[in-house]
Amino acid sequence: MNNNNNTDINVNEETQLLNDELIATYLQDNPDFFARNPQLLASIRFSDNKRGVVSLVERQQQIQRQKIHALEEEITQLLTVANYNEQLFTVYNDLYLSLIESPDLSDFLSKLQLTTTQLLNLAGFKLYLTNKDFEIGHPTIVKTDCSDILENRLGDKEYYFGRIQKSEQESVFASTDVGSVVLVKLTEREKVLGFIAISSQDAEHFHPTMDTLLLNQFRTLIAKLLIQQLLKVGL
């Protein structure tokens, strides 16, 4: 008995889908159908989960309002991004001028850390260098070996946005209380110097769809200025 019921249900569903497809095809092939049957426009009703039964006009107005709302949200998001990028540009510009005048590597790193954590209101700034044949006594320098992170998270990419594992958080930031990160590979003349790691307590702050326009400039200039500072200490 149950098998018969299931068969009937399947047949009814297939018939419904077939009827829907036929009706949709007919209306697409006959765009003047409602022009020839104007009385249908006034009598057609739609089932709405929130408002119950509504007319065709009401349904069209609802769809239009949804489109307008979606467009308003998109415009607001674009304006927000533009405003944020303008603020970043100002911060970066001031930072570059300040870094150029840095007398030594320690001052250089301190300014980077200050700008990142205070002016940009982010949680942490770290620098991992591939050359381990030296000792730099600055809190931003990553002491542990992060070559696996460099290879697995960055590889042939210039950036990584998103979350990292607890073990990776511990290696880079000496903490497991990290929401999301951006890893910025530093290269000079195709030589990989290391990477910058910037963290946020917000797990959604850094995400893969983020714009990299300003970061491209940041990455290039920081790598060149870093080389100059490393040369001062004989690296």
Side-chain angles (χ1 to χ4, degrees), residues 34-35 37-46 55-57 60:
F34 287 109
N37 300 274
Q39 71 281 359
L40 290 177
L41 291 175
S43 60
I44 289 179
R45 293 291 183 270
F46 295 87
S55 68
L56 176 61
V57 174
Q60 289 175 324

Side-chain angles (χ1 to χ4, degrees), residues 1-23:
M1 186 67 178
N2 290 335
N3 289 336
N4 291 335
N5 288 338
N6 290 336
T7 301
D8 292 341
I9 292 174
N10 291 334
V11 171
N12 289 336
E13 290 179 349
E14 292 176 0
T15 301
Q16 181 65 43
L17 290 174
L18 182 59
N19 289 338
D20 289 350
E21 184 177 350
L22 287 173
I23 294 172

Side-chain angles (χ1 to χ4, degrees), residues 159-189:
Y159 308 100
Y160 171 81
F161 295 94
R163 305 179 190 181
I164 56 177
Q165 298 176 359
K166 295 292 185 181
S167 59
E168 294 173 320
Q169 296 178 24
E170 182 65 35
S171 295
V172 178
F173 297 99
S175 169
T176 56
D177 187 25
V178 176
S180 58
V181 305
V182 56
L183 305 180
V184 182
K185 184 193 293 183
L186 298 177
T187 58
E188 178 64 13
R189 296 180 181 177

